[in-house]
Structures are given as structure tokens and as C-alpha cells.
Coordinates of all heavy atoms in Angstrom, one line a residue:
M1 N 4.7 37.6 5.2 CA 5.1 36.2 5.1 C 3.8 35.4 4.8 O 3.9 34.5 4.0 CB 5.7 35.8 6.4 CG 6.2 34.4 6.3 SD 7.2 34.0 7.7 CE 6.7 32.4 8.0
S2 N 2.7 35.6 5.5 CA 1.5 34.8 5.2 C 0.9 35.0 3.9 O 0.1 34.2 3.4 CB 0.5 35.1 6.3 OG 0.0 36.4 6.2
S3 N 1.3 36.1 3.2 CA 0.7 36.4 1.9 C 1.3 35.4 0.9 O 0.8 35.2 -0.2 CB 1.0 37.8 1.4 OG 2.4 38.0 1.3
V4 N 2.4 34.7 1.2 CA 3.0 33.7 0.4 C 2.7 32.3 0.9 O 2.5 31.4 0.1 CB 4.6 34.0 0.3 CG1 5.2 32.8 -0.5 CG2 4.9 35.3 -0.4
T5 N 2.7 32.2 2.2 CA 2.6 30.9 2.8 C 1.2 30.2 2.5 O 1.2 29.1 2.1 CB 2.8 31.0 4.3 OG1 4.0 31.6 4.6 CG2 2.7 29.6 5.0
I6 N 0.2 31.0 2.7 CA -1.2 30.4 2.5 C -1.4 29.9 1.1 O -1.9 28.8 0.9 CB -2.3 31.4 3.1 CG1 -2.1 31.5 4.6 CG2 -3.7 30.9 2.7 CD1 -3.0 32.5 5.2
P7 N -1.1 30.7 0.1 CA -1.3 30.2 -1.3 C -0.5 29.0 -1.6 O -0.9 28.1 -2.3 CB -1.0 31.4 -2.2 CG -1.1 32.6 -1.3 CD -0.8 32.2 0.1
C8 N 0.8 29.0 -1.1 CA 1.6 27.8 -1.3 C 1.0 26.6 -0.7 O 1.1 25.5 -1.3 CB 3.0 28.1 -0.8 SG 3.9 29.3 -1.8
L9 N 0.5 26.7 0.5 CA -0.1 25.6 1.2 C -1.4 25.1 0.4 O -1.6 23.9 0.3 CB -0.5 25.9 2.6 CG 0.7 26.1 3.6 CD1 0.2 26.5 4.9 CD2 1.4 24.7 3.7
L10 N -2.1 26.0 -0.1 CA -3.3 25.6 -0.8 C -3.0 24.9 -2.1 O -3.6 23.9 -2.5 CB -4.2 26.8 -1.1 CG -4.9 27.5 0.1 CD1 -5.5 28.8 -0.3 CD2 -5.9 26.5 0.7
I11 N -1.9 25.4 -2.8 CA -1.5 24.7 -4.0 C -0.9 23.4 -3.7 O -1.2 22.4 -4.5 CB -0.5 25.6 -4.8 CG1 -1.2 26.9 -5.3 CG2 0.2 24.9 -5.9 CD1 -0.2 28.0 -5.8
A12 N -0.1 23.3 -2.7 CA 0.5 22.0 -2.3 C -0.6 21.0 -1.9 O -0.6 19.8 -2.3 CB 1.5 22.1 -1.2
G13 N -1.7 21.5 -1.2 CA -2.8 20.6 -0.8 C -3.6 20.1 -2.0 O -3.9 18.9 -2.1
A14 N -3.8 21.0 -3.0 CA -4.5 20.6 -4.2 C -3.7 19.6 -5.0 O -4.3 18.6 -5.5 CB -4.8 21.8 -5.0
N15 N -2.4 19.8 -5.1 CA -1.5 18.8 -5.8 C -1.6 17.5 -5.1 O -1.7 16.4 -5.8 CB -0.1 19.4 -5.8 CG 0.8 18.5 -6.6 OD1 0.4 18.0 -7.7 ND2 2.0 18.3 -6.1
A16 N -1.5 17.4 -3.8 CA -1.5 16.2 -3.0 C -2.8 15.5 -3.2 O -2.9 14.2 -3.4 CB -1.2 16.4 -1.6
Y17 N -3.9 16.2 -3.2 CA -5.2 15.6 -3.4 C -5.4 15.0 -4.8 O -5.8 13.9 -5.0 CB -6.3 16.7 -3.3 CG -7.7 16.2 -3.5 CD1 -8.4 15.5 -2.5 CD2 -8.4 16.5 -4.7 CE1 -9.7 15.0 -2.7 CE2 -9.7 16.1 -4.9 CZ -10.3 15.3 -3.9 OH -11.6 14.9 -4.1
N18 N -4.9 15.7 -5.8 CA -4.9 15.1 -7.2 C -4.1 13.9 -7.4 O -4.5 12.9 -8.0 CB -4.5 16.2 -8.2 CG -5.5 17.3 -8.4 OD1 -6.7 17.1 -8.1 ND2 -5.1 18.5 -8.7
L19 N -2.9 13.9 -6.8 CA -2.0 12.7 -6.8 C -2.6 11.5 -6.1 O -2.5 10.4 -6.6 CB -0.6 13.1 -6.3 CG 0.2 14.0 -7.1 CD1 1.5 14.4 -6.3 CD2 0.6 13.4 -8.4
W20 N -3.3 11.8 -5.0 CA -3.9 10.7 -4.3 C -5.0 10.1 -5.1 O -5.1 8.8 -5.2 CB -4.5 11.3 -3.0 CG -5.3 10.3 -2.2 CD1 -6.6 10.1 -2.1 CD2 -4.7 9.4 -1.2 NE1 -6.9 9.2 -1.2 CE2 -5.8 8.7 -0.7 CE3 -3.4 9.1 -0.8 CZ2 -5.6 7.7 0.3 CZ3 -3.3 8.1 0.1 CH2 -4.4 7.4 0.7
N21 N -5.8 10.9 -5.7 CA -6.9 10.4 -6.6 C -6.4 9.6 -7.8 O -6.9 8.6 -8.2 CB -7.8 11.5 -7.0 CG -8.7 12.0 -5.9 OD1 -9.0 11.2 -4.9 ND2 -9.1 13.2 -5.9
E22 N -5.3 10.1 -8.4 CA -4.7 9.4 -9.6 C -4.2 8.1 -9.2 O -4.3 7.1 -9.9 CB -3.6 10.3 -10.2 CG -4.1 11.5 -10.9 CD -3.0 12.3 -11.4 OE1 -1.8 11.9 -11.4 OE2 -3.2 13.5 -11.9
H23 N -3.6 8.0 -8.0 CA -3.0 6.8 -7.5 C -4.1 5.7 -7.3 O -3.9 4.6 -7.8 CB -2.3 7.0 -6.1 CG -1.9 5.7 -5.4 ND1 -0.9 4.9 -5.9 CD2 -2.5 5.1 -4.4 CE1 -0.8 3.9 -5.1 NE2 -1.7 3.9 -4.2
W24 N -5.2 6.0 -6.8 CA -6.3 5.0 -6.5 C -7.0 4.7 -7.8 O -7.6 3.6 -8.0 CB -7.3 5.5 -5.4 CG -6.6 5.4 -4.1 CD1 -6.2 6.4 -3.3 CD2 -6.1 4.2 -3.5 NE1 -5.5 5.9 -2.2 CE2 -5.5 4.5 -2.3 CE3 -6.2 2.8 -3.8 CZ2 -4.9 3.6 -1.4 CZ3 -5.7 1.9 -2.9 CH2 -5.1 2.3 -1.7
E25 N -7.1 5.6 -8.8 CA -7.6 5.3 -10.1 C -6.7 4.3 -10.8 O -7.2 3.3 -11.4 CB -7.7 6.5 -11.0 CG -8.8 7.5 -10.6 CD -8.8 8.8 -11.4 OE1 -8.0 8.9 -12.3 OE2 -9.5 9.7 -11.0
H26 N -5.4 4.4 -10.7 CA -4.5 3.4 -11.2 C -4.6 2.1 -10.5 O -4.6 1.0 -11.1 CB -3.1 3.9 -11.1 CG -2.0 3.0 -11.5 ND1 -1.8 2.6 -12.8 CD2 -1.2 2.2 -10.7 CE1 -0.8 1.7 -12.8 NE2 -0.4 1.4 -11.6
W27 N -4.8 2.1 -9.2 CA -4.9 0.9 -8.4 C -6.1 0.1 -8.8 O -6.1 -1.1 -8.8 CB -4.9 1.3 -6.9 CG -4.9 0.1 -6.0 CD1 -5.9 -0.5 -5.4 CD2 -3.7 -0.7 -5.6 NE1 -5.5 -1.6 -4.7 CE2 -4.2 -1.7 -4.8 CE3 -2.4 -0.5 -5.9 CZ2 -3.3 -2.6 -4.2 CZ3 -1.5 -1.4 -5.4 CH2 -2.0 -2.5 -4.5
A28 N -7.2 0.8 -9.2 CA -8.4 0.1 -9.6 C -8.3 -0.8 -10.8 O -9.0 -1.7 -11.0 CB -9.6 1.1 -9.8
H29 N -7.3 -0.5 -11.7 CA -7.0 -1.2 -12.9 C -6.0 -2.4 -12.7 O -5.8 -3.1 -13.7 CB -6.5 -0.3 -14.0 CG -7.5 0.8 -14.3 ND1 -8.7 0.6 -15.0 CD2 -7.5 2.1 -14.1 CE1 -9.4 1.7 -15.1 NE2 -8.6 2.7 -14.6
E30 N -5.5 -2.5 -11.6 CA -4.5 -3.6 -11.3 C -5.3 -5.0 -11.2 O -6.5 -5.0 -11.0 CB -3.8 -3.4 -10.0 CG -2.8 -2.2 -10.0 CD -1.6 -2.6 -10.8 OE1 -1.1 -3.7 -10.8 OE2 -1.0 -1.6 -11.4
T31 N -4.6 -6.0 -11.3 CA -5.2 -7.4 -11.2 C -5.5 -7.6 -9.7 O -4.8 -7.0 -8.8 CB -4.2 -8.5 -11.7 OG1 -3.0 -8.4 -11.0 CG2 -4.0 -8.3 -13.1
P32 N -6.4 -8.4 -9.4 CA -6.7 -8.7 -7.9 C -5.5 -9.2 -7.2 O -4.7 -9.9 -7.8 CB -7.9 -9.7 -8.0 CG -8.5 -9.5 -9.4 CD -7.3 -9.1 -10.3
L33 N -5.4 -8.9 -5.9 CA -4.3 -9.3 -5.1 C -4.1 -10.8 -5.2 O -2.9 -11.3 -5.2 CB -4.5 -8.9 -3.7 CG -4.4 -7.4 -3.4 CD1 -4.8 -7.1 -1.9 CD2 -3.0 -6.9 -3.7
E34 N -5.1 -11.6 -5.2 CA -5.0 -13.1 -5.1 C -4.4 -13.6 -6.4 O -3.8 -14.7 -6.4 CB -6.3 -13.7 -4.9 CG -7.0 -13.4 -3.5 CD -7.6 -12.1 -3.5 OE1 -8.0 -11.5 -4.6 OE2 -7.8 -11.5 -2.4
E35 N -4.5 -12.9 -7.5 CA -4.0 -13.4 -8.8 C -2.6 -12.9 -9.2 O -2.1 -13.3 -10.2 CB -5.0 -12.9 -9.9 CG -6.4 -13.5 -9.8 CD -7.3 -13.0 -10.8 OE1 -6.9 -12.3 -11.8 OE2 -8.5 -13.3 -10.7
R36 N -2.0 -12.0 -8.3 CA -0.7 -11.5 -8.6 C 0.4 -12.6 -8.4 O 0.2 -13.4 -7.5 CB -0.4 -10.3 -7.8 CG -1.3 -9.1 -8.2 CD -0.9 -7.9 -7.5 NE -2.0 -6.9 -7.8 CZ -2.1 -5.7 -7.2 NH1 -1.2 -5.4 -6.3 NH2 -3.0 -4.9 -7.5
T37 N 1.5 -12.4 -9.1 CA 2.6 -13.4 -8.9 C 3.3 -13.1 -7.6 O 3.6 -12.0 -7.2 CB 3.6 -13.1 -10.1 OG1 2.9 -13.3 -11.3 CG2 4.7 -14.2 -10.0
A38 N 3.6 -14.2 -6.9 CA 4.3 -14.1 -5.6 C 5.8 -14.4 -5.9 O 6.1 -15.5 -6.3 CB 3.8 -15.1 -4.6
Y39 N 6.6 -13.4 -5.8 CA 8.0 -13.6 -6.0 C 8.8 -14.1 -4.8 O 8.3 -13.8 -3.7 CB 8.6 -12.3 -6.5 CG 8.1 -11.9 -7.9 CD1 7.1 -10.9 -8.0 CD2 8.5 -12.5 -9.0 CE1 6.6 -10.5 -9.2 CE2 7.9 -12.1 -10.3 CZ 7.0 -11.2 -10.3 OH 6.5 -10.8 -11.5
A40 N 9.9 -14.7 -4.9 CA 10.6 -15.3 -3.8 C 11.1 -14.3 -2.8 O 11.2 -14.5 -1.6 CB 11.8 -16.2 -4.3
Y41 N 11.4 -13.1 -3.3 CA 11.9 -12.1 -2.4 C 10.8 -11.3 -1.6 O 11.2 -10.4 -0.8 CB 12.8 -11.1 -3.2 CG 12.0 -10.4 -4.3 CD1 11.3 -9.3 -4.1 CD2 12.1 -10.9 -5.6 CE1 10.6 -8.6 -5.1 CE2 11.4 -10.2 -6.6 CZ 10.7 -9.1 -6.4 OH 10.0 -8.5 -7.4
Q42 N 9.6 -11.5 -1.9 CA 8.5 -10.8 -1.2 C 8.1 -11.6 0.1 O 8.0 -12.8 0.1 CB 7.3 -10.7 -2.1 CG 7.5 -9.8 -3.3 CD 6.3 -9.7 -4.2 OE1 5.7 -10.7 -4.4 NE2 6.1 -8.5 -4.7
N43 N 7.8 -10.9 1.1 CA 7.3 -11.4 2.3 C 8.1 -12.5 2.9 O 7.7 -13.6 3.3 CB 5.8 -11.9 2.1 CG 4.9 -10.8 1.7 OD1 4.9 -9.8 2.3 ND2 4.1 -11.1 0.7
I44 N 9.4 -12.3 3.0 CA 10.3 -13.2 3.6 C 10.2 -13.2 5.1 O 10.2 -12.1 5.7 CB 11.8 -12.9 3.2 CG1 12.0 -13.1 1.7 CG2 12.8 -13.8 4.0 CD1 13.3 -12.6 1.2
R45 N 9.9 -14.3 5.7 CA 9.7 -14.4 7.2 C 10.7 -15.4 7.7 O 10.8 -16.6 7.4 CB 8.3 -14.9 7.5 CG 7.2 -14.2 6.9 CD 6.9 -12.9 7.6 NE 5.7 -12.3 7.1 CZ 5.6 -11.3 6.2 NH1 6.7 -10.9 5.6 NH2 4.5 -10.8 5.9
T46 N 11.6 -14.9 8.6 CA 12.6 -15.8 9.3 C 12.0 -16.3 10.6 O 12.4 -17.3 11.1 CB 13.9 -15.1 9.5 OG1 13.7 -13.9 10.2 CG2 14.5 -14.7 8.1
K47 N 11.1 -15.5 11.2 CA 10.4 -15.9 12.4 C 9.1 -15.2 12.5 O 8.9 -14.2 11.8 CB 11.2 -15.6 13.7 CG 11.5 -14.2 13.9 CD 12.3 -14.0 15.2 CE 12.6 -12.5 15.5 NZ 13.3 -12.3 16.7
S48 N 8.2 -15.7 13.2 CA 6.8 -15.1 13.3 C 6.9 -13.8 14.1 O 7.7 -13.6 15.0 CB 5.9 -16.1 14.0 OG 5.7 -17.2 13.2
Y49 N 6.0 -12.9 13.7 CA 5.8 -11.7 14.5 C 5.1 -12.0 15.8 O 4.3 -12.9 15.9 CB 5.0 -10.6 13.7 CG 5.7 -10.1 12.5 CD1 5.3 -10.5 11.2 CD2 6.9 -9.3 12.6 CE1 6.0 -10.0 10.1 CE2 7.5 -8.9 11.5 CZ 7.1 -9.2 10.2 OH 7.8 -8.8 9.1
P50 N 5.3 -11.2 16.9 CA 4.7 -11.5 18.2 C 3.2 -11.0 18.3 O 2.6 -11.1 19.3 CB 5.6 -10.8 19.2 CG 6.2 -9.7 18.4 CD 6.3 -10.2 17.0
W51 N 2.6 -10.5 17.2 CA 1.3 -10.0 17.3 C 0.4 -10.7 16.2 O 0.9 -11.2 15.2 CB 1.2 -8.5 17.1 CG 1.9 -8.1 15.8 CD1 1.4 -8.1 14.6 CD2 3.2 -7.6 15.8 NE1 2.3 -7.6 13.7 CE2 3.5 -7.3 14.4 CE3 4.2 -7.3 16.7 CZ2 4.7 -6.8 13.9 CZ3 5.4 -6.8 16.2 CH2 5.6 -6.5 14.9
G52 N -0.9 -10.7 16.3 CA -1.8 -11.2 15.3 C -1.6 -12.7 15.0 O -1.3 -13.5 15.9
N53 N -1.6 -13.0 13.8 CA -1.4 -14.4 13.4 C 0.1 -14.7 13.2 O 0.4 -15.8 12.7 CB -2.2 -14.7 12.1 CG -1.7 -13.9 10.9 OD1 -0.8 -13.1 11.0 ND2 -2.4 -14.2 9.8
G54 N 1.0 -13.7 13.4 CA 2.4 -14.0 13.3 C 3.0 -13.8 11.9 O 4.2 -13.9 11.7
D55 N 2.1 -13.6 10.9 CA 2.5 -13.5 9.5 C 2.4 -12.1 9.0 O 3.0 -11.8 7.9 CB 1.7 -14.5 8.7 CG 2.2 -14.6 7.3 OD1 3.5 -14.7 7.1 OD2 1.4 -14.4 6.3
Q56 N 1.6 -11.2 9.6 CA 1.4 -9.9 9.1 C 2.2 -8.9 9.8 O 2.3 -8.9 11.1 CB -0.1 -9.6 9.2 CG -1.0 -10.5 8.4 CD -2.4 -10.3 8.6 OE1 -2.9 -9.6 9.6 NE2 -3.3 -10.9 7.8
T57 N 2.8 -7.9 9.1 CA 3.6 -6.9 9.7 C 2.7 -6.0 10.5 O 1.4 -6.0 10.5 CB 4.3 -6.0 8.6 OG1 3.3 -5.4 7.8 CG2 5.1 -6.9 7.7
L58 N 3.3 -5.1 11.3 CA 2.5 -4.2 12.1 C 1.6 -3.2 11.3 O 0.6 -2.8 11.8 CB 3.5 -3.3 13.0 CG 2.9 -2.5 14.1 CD1 2.1 -3.3 15.1 CD2 4.0 -1.8 14.8
F59 N 2.1 -2.9 10.1 CA 1.3 -1.9 9.3 C 0.6 -2.7 8.2 O 0.4 -2.1 7.1 CB 2.2 -0.9 8.7 CG 2.9 -0.1 9.8 CD1 4.3 -0.3 10.1 CD2 2.2 0.9 10.5 CE1 4.9 0.4 11.1 CE2 2.9 1.6 11.5 CZ 4.2 1.4 11.8
W60 N 0.1 -3.9 8.4 CA -0.5 -4.7 7.4 C -1.9 -4.1 7.0 O -2.7 -3.7 7.9 CB -0.7 -6.1 7.9 CG -1.2 -7.1 6.9 CD1 -2.5 -7.4 6.6 CD2 -0.4 -7.8 6.0 NE1 -2.6 -8.3 5.6 CE2 -1.3 -8.6 5.2 CE3 0.9 -7.9 5.7 CZ2 -0.9 -9.4 4.2 CZ3 1.4 -8.7 4.7 CH2 0.5 -9.5 4.0
N61 N -2.1 -4.0 5.7 CA -3.4 -3.5 5.2 C -3.9 -4.5 4.2 O -3.4 -4.7 3.2 CB -3.2 -2.1 4.5 CG -4.5 -1.6 4.0 OD1 -5.5 -2.2 4.0 ND2 -4.5 -0.3 3.6
P62 N -5.0 -5.2 4.6 CA -5.5 -6.3 3.7 C -6.0 -5.8 2.4 O -6.2 -6.6 1.5 CB -6.6 -6.9 4.6 CG -7.0 -5.9 5.6 CD -5.8 -5.1 5.8
E63 N -6.3 -4.5 2.2 CA -6.7 -4.0 0.9 C -5.6 -3.9 -0.1 O -5.8 -3.9 -1.3 CB -7.4 -2.7 1.1 CG -8.7 -2.8 1.9 CD -9.4 -1.4 2.0 OE1 -9.0 -0.5 1.3 OE2 -10.3 -1.3 2.8
V64 N -4.4 -3.7 0.4 CA -3.2 -3.5 -0.5 C -2.1 -4.6 -0.3 O -1.2 -4.7 -1.2 CB -2.6 -2.1 -0.4 CG1 -3.7 -1.1 -0.9 CG2 -2.1 -1.8 1.0
N65 N -2.1 -5.3 0.8 CA -1.1 -6.3 1.0 C -1.7 -7.7 0.9 O -2.8 -7.9 1.3 CB -0.5 -6.2 2.4 CG 0.1 -4.9 2.7 OD1 -0.3 -4.1 3.5 ND2 1.2 -4.6 2.0
H66 N -0.9 -8.6 0.3 CA -1.4 -10.0 0.2 C -0.2 -10.9 0.3 O 0.8 -10.6 -0.3 CB -2.1 -10.2 -1.2 CG -2.6 -11.6 -1.4 ND1 -3.7 -12.0 -0.6 CD2 -2.2 -12.6 -2.1 CE1 -3.9 -13.3 -1.0 NE2 -3.0 -13.7 -1.9
H67 N -0.3 -11.9 1.0 CA 0.8 -12.9 1.2 C 0.2 -14.3 0.9 O -0.6 -14.7 1.6 CB 1.3 -12.8 2.6 CG 2.5 -13.7 2.9 ND1 2.6 -14.3 4.0 CD2 3.5 -14.1 2.1 CE1 3.7 -15.1 4.0 NE2 4.2 -15.0 2.8
K68 N 0.8 -14.9 -0.1 CA 0.4 -16.3 -0.4 C 1.3 -17.2 0.5 O 2.5 -17.2 0.3 CB 0.6 -16.6 -1.9 CG -0.4 -15.9 -2.7 CD -0.1 -16.3 -4.2 CE -1.1 -15.6 -5.1 NZ -0.9 -15.9 -6.5
K69 N 0.7 -17.9 1.4 CA 1.5 -18.9 2.1 C 2.0 -20.0 1.2 O 1.5 -20.1 0.0 CB 0.6 -19.5 3.2 CG 0.2 -18.6 4.3 CD 1.1 -18.8 5.5 CE 0.5 -18.0 6.6 NZ 1.3 -18.1 7.7
D70 N 3.0 -20.8 1.6 CA 3.4 -21.9 0.7 C 2.3 -22.8 0.4 O 1.7 -23.4 1.3 CB 4.6 -22.6 1.4 CG 5.8 -21.8 1.6 OD1 6.0 -20.8 0.9 OD2 6.6 -22.0 2.6
E71 N 1.9 -22.8 -0.8 CA 0.8 -23.6 -1.2 C 1.2 -24.8 -2.0 O 2.1 -24.9 -2.6 CB -0.1 -22.8 -2.2 CG -0.7 -21.5 -1.4 CD -1.4 -20.6 -2.4 OE1 -1.2 -20.6 -3.6 OE2 -2.2 -19.8 -1.8

């Protein structure tokens, strides 16, 4: 059984690593977060969250998430 399992895990790990790198290479070519269009359906808040500043979700990542307040 392990003669099949270990090679499959190595191949799957190599595939995941390559996909991860391709994703971030693509991300580097995107426009900066501040310049992206804010659509009405994004970041809808009906009430504030009980943590932080009340505007960011629990899994907020400032490198990939951006929320333009009503400007």
C-alpha cells in the first residue's frame, strides 16, 4: 500500500506547490487594492462585527482584502 501512497502524496504536494506559486505570480500583476472598483455587492455590512474596528471579518487579510468605506 505504501508503495503507491508515498509517490501519490509527493506528486500531489508538487502540484499544490506549483499551483500556489502560479497564483501569487498572477496576483503580482493585478492592480493595487486601493485602485480596484468597489461594487455594491461587496463588503455589505448590516451591523458591525464585535471585534477589531467592527468592519473587518474574522479572517481579514490586509494584503488581499480591501474595503472602501463610503467616500
Side-chain angles (χ1 to χ4, degrees):
M1 182 170 145
S2 65
S3 63
V4 173
T5 305
I6 293 175
C8 287
L9 289 174
L10 291 174
I11 291 169
N15 183 41
Y17 178 77
N18 289 334
L19 290 173
W20 178 262
N21 287 335
E22 288 176 12
H23 170 71
W24 288 111
E25 287 174 10
H26 172 72
W27 188 261
H29 299 291
E30 292 284 330
T31 58
L33 290 174
E34 297 80 19
E35 296 176 11
R36 293 188 188 168
T37 305
Y39 296 102
Y41 59 83
Q42 293 177 321
N43 297 315
I44 296 173
R45 306 284 191 263
T46 56
K47 63 180 183 176
S48 295
Y49 293 111
W51 54 80
N53 66 359
D55 188 48
Q56 298 174 345
T57 64
L58 188 58
F59 301 104
W60 189 266
N61 182 350
E63 293 181 12
V64 296
N65 300 114
H66 182 70
H67 180 217
K68 292 182 182 180
K69 292 257 187 184
D70 295 336
E71 297 172 340

